[in-house]
Amino acid sequence: MDTKIVKKKSKIKLISIIVISAVAVSVFGWYFLNQKKTYNVKAEDITIDEVTKGKFEDMLMVTAQTQSLNSSLVNVLEGGAVKEVFAEDGQMLMKGQPIARVYNPNTEFNYLNQETGIMQQISQMRSSLLELKNQEFNQDKELLQSQNDYNTALESFNLQKRLYDAEIGKKTDYDISLQNLNYQKQRKQIVENGAKNEKNSRNTQFSAINNSIGQMEKSLNILRSNKNNFLIMSPVSGRLSSFNISLGQNLTSGESIGKIDLMGGYKLIAKVDEYYINKLTVGIKGSLDNNGKEYEVIISKILPEVKDGQFSVELNFIDAKIENLKIGMTFGVKLKLSADTQSMMIPKGNFYKDTNGKWIFVVKGNKAEKRNISLGRENPLYYEVVSGLKQGESVITSDYSELKKYEMLDIQK
């Protein structure tokens, strides 16, 4: 009996130990899981900035380069290999002045064949005209002959009639002359009617052939002028720019090989990060500083094509423009995106590329804790704080590449 009691107490004791151990493990596991991941950082390895409140300038700084206000592209009209180069980049040119000459033997051979074919057609049409003119000449002769024969018959008839009326002539001679007169009269009418109809037909043919010859001659002139397309000429007067071709280089029809700057004024061209493509609009104003003087500019055109992560905008001077401007000069331009506001701000830093502005480490004493935030607009110096931070708080704005997987930092000084 005593043995059973001892065994029962031992069993109860074992169960108690197991339960206590399980509870201890659970509590330790819960504590371990709820502990925030902590990382030790040196103070000199991070940048700490303060959250401030003040005037936030919604602006963008861009680098702009001067270009001619108006320009004309120099396009290749007929493709081929560069045979001669007559001008160089930066040279002042007059309208029609030769820039380069290309050579394309296949195209030139085709031109010669077409020219020969057109000239043969014109020759055949002119032969047809000559034939029609000969027909007209022969018919005029026939008309003249019929009129002359009729006049002769009429004179003979009048003579025989007078003789017959005077009872001197014979009736047979009178009858023969009358018969001949009627014949010549009818013959004359037939010849005149036929000549009239044929003249109308010939006039129609003359008109059609002359029109065809005119069209052929126009085609021939165009073809001959197209042969001049091998010579690339300046489309307008101005300064040649963006021009760089070499002898033997193959050029294709329609290719642009440079431009002519008209020198009638200047504009600014700026490359802008594609992030701002929906933030910039025509009419946004800006300013630039040159030798301590400020000049106002305005966006006049947006070229939305994105290349290498950037798009281009054109800007014009509003009132005064910088004196002695030259093509290729570079200026820093400040674009005003919206009115200034009183906002919470933090300085820009490398933290953004790892957090995308969704969270930041907030510093308290020698600790820094991860906190979710929301950022709004930005300018070259600051991010606008929408929520998550208070004025006077300190945040880490340096690189987070080694810190982003932690929630708490120990800052060692």
Side-chain angles (χ1 to χ4, degrees):
M1 185 72 178
D2 293 337
T3 304
K4 290 181 178 179
I5 294 171
V6 170
K7 287 182 178 179
K8 188 174 182 180
K9 288 182 177 181
S10 298
K11 187 176 181 180
I12 292 172
K13 186 176 181 181
L14 179 61
I15 291 172
S16 299
I17 292 171
I18 292 172
V19 170
I20 293 169
S21 299
V23 171
V25 169
S26 298
V27 171
F28 180 77
W30 177 88
Y31 177 79
F32 178 78
L33 291 174
N34 283 274
Q35 278 289 93
K36 294 183 178 179
K37 293 182 179 180
T38 303
Y39 184 69
N40 295 327
V41 294
K42 294 181 180 180
E44 60 265 26
D45 293 337
I46 60 175
T47 301
I48 300 175
D49 287 301
E50 184 180 349
V51 181
T52 58
K53 186 173 184 179
K55 184 177 73 173
F56 180 84
E57 288 187 280
D58 189 14
M59 58 88 172
L60 169 67
M61 290 297 299
V62 296
T63 300
Q65 192 175 56
T66 55
Q67 289 188 9
S68 174
L69 184 61
N70 295 298
S71 60
S72 176
L73 292 176
V74 178
N75 293 326
V76 177
L77 299 179
E78 195 65 61
V82 179
K83 187 177 182 180
E84 297 176 277
V85 179
F86 307 113
E88 59 183 21
D89 194 56
Q91 182 178 339
M92 293 297 297
L93 299 175
M94 298 299 294
K95 181 179 180 180
Q97 186 172 340
I99 296 175
R101 184 190 299 277
V102 298
Y103 177 67
N104 189 325
N106 292 330
T107 303
E108 190 162 354
F109 181 71
N110 289 335
Y111 279 158
L112 289 174
N113 283 340
Q114 292 178 48
E115 185 177 14
T116 301
I118 293 174
M119 291 180 69
Q120 287 176 346
Q121 292 183 59
I122 292 175
S123 178
Q124 291 172 0
M125 290 179 183
R126 284 178 175 160
S127 295
S128 298
L129 281 179
L130 182 59
E131 185 178 346
L132 288 173
K133 287 184 180 294
N134 288 333
Q135 291 176 8
E136 185 179 33
F137 176 72
N138 291 331
Q139 195 158 55
D140 288 342
K141 284 171 58 179
E142 189 176 356
L143 272 171
L144 186 62
Q145 185 65 47
S146 67
Q147 182 67 48
N148 183 66
D149 291 345
Y150 172 75
N151 292 339
T152 302
L154 182 59
E155 289 177 0
S156 177
F157 170 75
N158 289 334
L159 176 62
Q160 292 299 326
K161 185 175 186 303
R162 286 195 302 272
L163 292 175
Y164 180 73
D165 290 343
E167 298 180 353
I168 300 174
K170 298 178 182 181
K171 188 174 186 307
T172 53
D173 292 338
Y174 172 78
D175 291 339
I176 291 172
S177 65
L178 178 59
Q179 183 181 0
N180 187 47
L181 177 62
N182 289 332
Y183 166 73
Q184 295 297 339
K185 182 178 181 181
Q186 291 178 11
R187 174 172 169 263
K188 176 175 166 295
Q189 287 176 344
I190 291 172
V191 171
E192 287 177 346
N193 289 335
K196 182 178 180 181
N197 291 334
E198 288 189 24
K199 184 177 181 179
N200 290 334
S201 177
R202 275 196 305 272
N203 286 340
T204 301
Q205 292 181 66
F206 275 136
S207 178
I209 292 174
N210 282 324
N211 285 337
S212 296
I213 290 175
Q215 292 298 324
M216 289 292 179
E217 288 177 339
K218 285 182 180 178
S219 298
L220 188 61
N221 290 333
I222 292 172
L223 184 65
R224 286 171 175 168
S225 66
N226 283 345
K227 292 172 70 175
N228 293 329
N229 290 342
F230 290 117
L231 183 64
I232 304 171
M233 296 181 290
S234 176
V236 292
S237 297
R239 187 190 302 278
L240 179 63
S241 64
S242 304
F243 177 71
N244 183 23
I245 61 173
S246 305
L247 292 176
Q249 180 179 343
N250 283 317
L251 304 177
T252 58
S253 178
E255 180 181 354
S256 177
I257 59 172
K259 62 180 181 178
I260 304 294
D261 297 319
L262 273 60
M263 313 307 294
Y266 296 91
K267 62 185 175 184
L268 297 171
I269 301 293
K271 297 287 187 181
V272 184
D273 189 277
E274 62 181 324
Y275 170 80
Y276 293 96
I277 197 165
N278 294 321
K279 297 178 179 290
L280 296 183
T281 59
V282 172
I284 286 180
K285 294 182 179 180
S287 62
L288 63 87
D289 182 83
N290 183 62
N291 295 327
K293 187 175 181 181
E294 190 175 87
Y295 296 86
E296 286 190 314
V297 295
I298 187 170
I299 295 178
S300 58
K301 184 184 293 185
I302 294 177
L303 307 175
E305 181 184 3
V306 176
K307 187 175 182 181
D308 297 328
Q310 294 181 315
F311 66 101
S312 299
V313 297
E314 290 185 7
L315 305 106
N316 289 337
F317 291 94
I318 294 179
D319 294 319
K321 65 180 180 180
I322 301 172
E323 295 181 359
N324 301 318
L325 274 177
K326 294 181 180 179
I327 294 175
M329 295 178 69
T330 302
F331 299 95
V333 178
K334 182 170 74 173
L335 296 174
K336 199 76 171 176
L337 303 183
S338 63
D340 296 341
T341 58
Q342 288 292 317
S343 303
M344 303 282 289
M345 298 175 290
I346 57 174
K348 298 187 78 170
N350 289 333
F351 77 95
Y352 192 90
K353 66 183 177 65
D354 292 307
T355 70
N356 202 30
K358 305 284 187 186
W359 60 273
I360 201 168
F361 279 111
V362 181
V363 178
K364 291 184 179 179
N366 62 347
K367 302 283 186 181
E369 185 176 3
K370 179 179 178 180
R371 183 189 298 177
N372 292 330
I373 61 171
S374 177
L375 300 180
R377 299 170 296 174
E378 64 177 275
N379 62 31
L381 299 177
Y382 295 98
Y383 291 113
E384 181 184 37
V385 178
V386 176
S387 63
L389 294 172
K390 296 179 181 179
Q391 182 179 356
E393 288 187 309
S394 297
V395 293
I396 298 175
T397 56
S398 50
D399 187 82
Y400 278 19
S401 56
E402 300 294 328
L403 312 178
K404 57 186 177 182
K405 57 185 176 182
Y406 299 100
E407 296 182 350
M408 185 78 75
L409 303 177
D410 278 332
I411 302 174
Q412 301 174 351
K413 298 182 179 180

